[in-house]
């Protein structure tokens, strides 16, 4: 059991996939490492979804990391987990078994029989959804692997397939890893001789202590399961199962008086209801007091319902509003439904980007039974206009089956069905009459000649729409004949039709549960489709539409009539990047911070997300500034909190703020900061010194390319050079302070880390002197760097041979910077090369070991003067590593090294060799200092 992330996992990796329309979390990261093959499979409808299904994605990308390291991971094995909330333990174990057997067979086809066993890695798949704990997931996965081995061993005839020899679990959070490890140990004790579990949780790179909130959830939205069951006395109760960021799998029951609730539902599920007291009463009757806070305080929520609870108008429920809140509960929490269906269509061919929208308005109906719906026609016109408006689809991509004149009848059954099968549609919007199904028939949209359009017709489409919006419950204004139609069960029609459509593969369904106001329907539709066309998620588009509809007319309940089912993360089209968008951290994300400990966990998470998980540094800085504003006054004076602020700010790229917090940590009165805080303070001072000089120097260099004749350009250049001179002066002071602090620390106790840091500070002072055109001082600093690193190397060889890797590598950097391109220098120090290669063979792969491999190639190219020939391979290697670890802090260190060795070589070389050095330096700079 390993507590870390999966960035450098080398073995085949088992992942789980709940039914969803996009890849998130670990799946998304692995898809990036495999070049997008997983996302393409999902888009084509062949991704594993149902329990028992699986798919193997071989890592076929070029081995850009050379040498002893295979492409990481070797393969990704995705296991289908089905619908969230419905995964059975037996299904998880059997799904893993089948996936492992398939991978064993694949290996048997590829090898020569010399490898009887293989290793496999696994996440705690299944535990990101509701109902499966981390410990249970680990136990079931281990059982599935054991069953696979048993089957493989008993396989008769021919050459036997290899078995799993070692199963490696990787989990980001230490508390979950510990729970899983304990469950595995119990499993091993209960089944003697079956498992050999390691004696501890191994620390990996990028591990976190625990999730900042009390719960853990893989998706961004909360998931609530509601079902009608009976208690011990046979009385009906409503049972709740929570999977939120604040609570996990807590089941609470609320006794329900079905007759009383039925009367309230009947009163609430009507367009005539504008009494908020009914919503409050239903909330109090249906929701247990102990879980009210979880439901009322959620940011995004999907509520899974069974047929017995789907008829409840959850959108109308109203909790107690906080002071200043004006919006209803279903709008505040971004509520979506999910219907528990008996089955679902696994292999669905979705319409691609070429799919358009079909808008059907008031189709022709038997006039004797169904009166005209002029509002339905008007709604269809508004939807077509919204879809083809500014930023929308092309005119030819939206087909409207709407009568030309209001006095004319709408499209016939033949017109509707022909249009439905004419071409692929991503969106189908229907406004008209509907009929309630009987005897298991879900009903459908009323058409001419006694026909209707229902789930069966949708299911026969070769390409299934992503979204179907059915508004078939509108009452015609002042039409007494329809007002007397009391047999029409609108809420049941909505949930029944939605469930049938979802079973047939429709991702998202919106159906009106009762009659809607004409103007409210227009506002809802226009806002909803406008949000979709901007690339927003389904859950956000629904929330915006409800909000705008409510604000348009709070006295109407049209905003609550729409029962919205589907994937919260589905989007109609990818959102275009907006460089001008200001990111505001979610208040809910940090709402659980109530102590210094929870603040430290949040800071630790931000630090790891930037360093190891590819989080956007700009967005993380926004979060850090938010935490600083809200919590610094209360807990920022604690040394350990200030130290984490310093680490997080520095990692995210605001080195100035990082230094300020490190200095605060070192000076804290409580003494809670570690000795490492003082070491990092010295390191960050020298880093800031080089960073401000490098930034100023790059600005001066950029101005050299401008027209020098213009007075404004000459002044700009003069101002930039003055700024560079001031920054060099400040850098000299910062580096002096850095060395002075390290001397004090070394006087207390010389350590390998402090000797390494002294060498790093000399390295940065050499960089500052090169920028200041003080070449003689720069060479002196490089020689001091070499001496300090050699001392650190000797210290490591006396105490810890593995620790010699870092100082030996820095010695090579100084050696190359001093000699690259000189006539008599053609080879690297052999002893140091051997130390580095031996260390690489013994260490687990991480950013620095992979970068060391690339650096050895680079130094060899410089020594043999073949940089131009190796430039492309080096650039590809840099690109591949950056995809795995985009941390600007770590690439800043790589850039520092490049600034020493590449300009030195370029100054002594010529032609293609000089050009190659300049181009490589620019590429590394783009990773360390993105625009």
């Amino acid at each position: 059991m390993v507590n870390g992330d999966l960035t450098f996992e080398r073995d085949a990796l088992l992942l789980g996939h709940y039914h969803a329309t996009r890849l998130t979390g670990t799946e998304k990261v692995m898809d990036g490492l495999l070049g997008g093959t997983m996302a393409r499979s999902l888009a084509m409808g062949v991704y594993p979804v149902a329990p028992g299904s699986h798919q193997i994605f071989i890592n076929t990308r070029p081995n850009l990391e050379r040498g002893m390291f295979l492409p990481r991971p070797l393969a990704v094995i995705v296991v289908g987990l089905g619908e969230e909330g419905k995964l059975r333990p037996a299904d998880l174990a059997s799904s893993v078994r089948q996936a492992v057997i398939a991978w064993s067979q694949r290996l048997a086809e590829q090898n020569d029989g010399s490898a009887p066993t293989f290793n496999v890695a696994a996440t705690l798949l299944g535990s990101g959804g509701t109902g499966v704990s981390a410990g249970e997931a680990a136990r079931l996965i281990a059982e599935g692997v054991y069953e696979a081995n048993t089957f493989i061993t008993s396989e008769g005839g021919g050459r036997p397939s290899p078995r799993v020899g070692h199963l490696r679990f990787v989990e980001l959070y230490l508390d979950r890893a510990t729970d899983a490890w304990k469950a595995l140990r119990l499993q091993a004790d209960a089944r003697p001789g079956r498992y050999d579990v390691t004696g501890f949780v191994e620390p990996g790179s990028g591990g976190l202590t625990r999730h900042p909130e009390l719960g853990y959830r893989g998706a961004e939205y909360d998931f609530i399961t509601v079902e009608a069951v009976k208690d011990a006395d046979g009385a009906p109760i409503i049972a709740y199962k929570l999977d939120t960021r604040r609570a996990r799998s807590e089941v609470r029951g609320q006794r329900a008086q079905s007759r009383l609730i039925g009367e309230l539902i009947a009163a609430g599920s009507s367009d005539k209801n504008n009494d908020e007291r009914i919503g409050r009463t239903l909330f109090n009757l249906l929701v247990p007091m102990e879980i009210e806070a979880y439901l009322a305080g959620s940011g995004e929520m999907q509520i899974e319902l069974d047929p017995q609870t789907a008829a409840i108008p959850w959108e109308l429920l109203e909790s107690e509003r906080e002071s200043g809140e004006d919006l209803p509960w279903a709008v505040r929490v971004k509520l979506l439904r999910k219907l528990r269906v008996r089955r679902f269509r696994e292999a669905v061919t979705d319409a691609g980007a070429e799919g358009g929208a079909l808008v059907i308005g008031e189709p022709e109906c038997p006039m004797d039974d169904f009166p005209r719906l002029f509002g339905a026609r008007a709604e269809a016109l508004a939807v077509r206009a919204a879809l083809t408006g500014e930023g929308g689809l092309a005119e030819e991509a939206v087909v409207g089956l709407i009568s030309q004149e209001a006095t004319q009848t709408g499209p016939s059954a033949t017109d509707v069905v022909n249009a439905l099968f004419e071409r692929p549609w991503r969106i189908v919007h229907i406004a008209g009459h509907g009929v309630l199904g009987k005897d298991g028939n879900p009903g459908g949209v009323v058409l001419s000649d006694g026909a209707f359009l229902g789930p069966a017709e949708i299911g026969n489409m070769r390409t299934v729409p992503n979204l179907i919006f059915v508004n078939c419950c509108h009452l015609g204004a002042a039409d007494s004949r329809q007002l007397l139609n009391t047999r029409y069960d609108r809420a049941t029609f909505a949930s029944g039709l939605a469930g049938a459509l979802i079973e047939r593969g429709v991702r998202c369904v919106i159906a009106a549960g009762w009659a809607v106001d004409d103007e409210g329907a227009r506002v809802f539709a226009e806002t909803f489709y406008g949000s979709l066309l901007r690339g927003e998620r389904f859950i956000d588009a629904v929330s915006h539409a409800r909000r705008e509809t409510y604000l348009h007319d709070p006295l109407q309940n049209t905003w609550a009539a729409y029962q919205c089912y589907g994937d919260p993360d589905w989007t109609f089209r990818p959102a275009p990047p907006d460089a001008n968008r200001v990111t505001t951290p979610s208040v809910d994300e940090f709402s659980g911070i109530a102590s210094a400990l929870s603040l430290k966990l949040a800071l630790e998470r931000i630090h790891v997300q930037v360093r190891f998980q590819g989080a956007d540094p700009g967005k993380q800085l926004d979060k850090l500034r938010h935490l600083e504003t809200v919590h610094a006054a209360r807990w920022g004076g604690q040394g350990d909190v200030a130290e984490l602020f310093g680490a997080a700010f520095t990692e995210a790229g605001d080195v100035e703020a990082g230094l300020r917090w490190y200095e605060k940590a070192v000076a804290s009165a409580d003494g809670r900061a570690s000795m490492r805080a003082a070491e990092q303070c010295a390191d960050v001072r020298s880093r800031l010194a080089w960073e401000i000089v490098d930034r100023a120097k790059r600005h001066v260099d950029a101005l050299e390319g401008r027209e020098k004749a213009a007075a404004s350009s000459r002044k700009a250049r003069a101002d930039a050079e003055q700024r560079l001179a001031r920054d060099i002066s400040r850098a000299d002071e910062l580096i002096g302070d850095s060395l002075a602090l390290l001397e004090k620390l070394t006087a207390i106790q010389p350590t390998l880390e402090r000797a390494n840091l002294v060498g790093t500070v000399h390295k940065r002072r050499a960089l500052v002197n090169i920028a200041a055109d003080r070449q003689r001082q720069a060479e002196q600093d490089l020689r001091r760097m070499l001496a300090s690193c050699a001392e650190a190397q000797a210290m490591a060889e006396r105490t810890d041979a593995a620790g010699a890797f870092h100082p030996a590598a820095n010695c090579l950097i100084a050696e190359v910077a001093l000699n690259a391109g000189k006539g008599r220098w053609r080879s690297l120090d052999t002893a140091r090369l051997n130390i580095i290669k031996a260390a690489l063979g013994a260490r687990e792969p991480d950013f620095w070991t992979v970068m060391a491999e690339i650096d050895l190639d680079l130094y060899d190219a410089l020594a043999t003067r073949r940089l131009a020939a190796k430039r492309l391979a080096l650039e590809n290697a840099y690109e591949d590593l950056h995809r795995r670890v985009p941390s600007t802090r770590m690439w800043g260190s790589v850039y520092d090294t490049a600034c020493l060795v590449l300009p030195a070589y370029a100054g002594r070389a010529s032609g293609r060799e000089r050009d190659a050095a300049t181009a490589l330096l620019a590429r590394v700079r783009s990773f360390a200092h993105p625009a």
Side-chain angles (χ1 to χ4, degrees), residues 77-90:
I77 309 167
V78 180
V79 177
L81 302 176
E83 293 278 352
E84 184 177 1
K86 302 176 186 176
L87 180 64
R88 300 184 304 171

Side-chain angles (χ1 to χ4, degrees), residues 222 363 659 724 746:
D222 293 345
L659 176 59
L724 175 60
T746 303

Side-chain angles (χ1 to χ4, degrees), residues 226-229 237-238 265 305-312 314 339 495:
V226 183
E227 59 182 335
V229 298
I237 63 171
I238 298 178
I265 290 173
L305 307 167
D306 60 11
Q308 289 74 30
T309 55
I312 296 172
W314 296 94
L339 196 64
S495 62

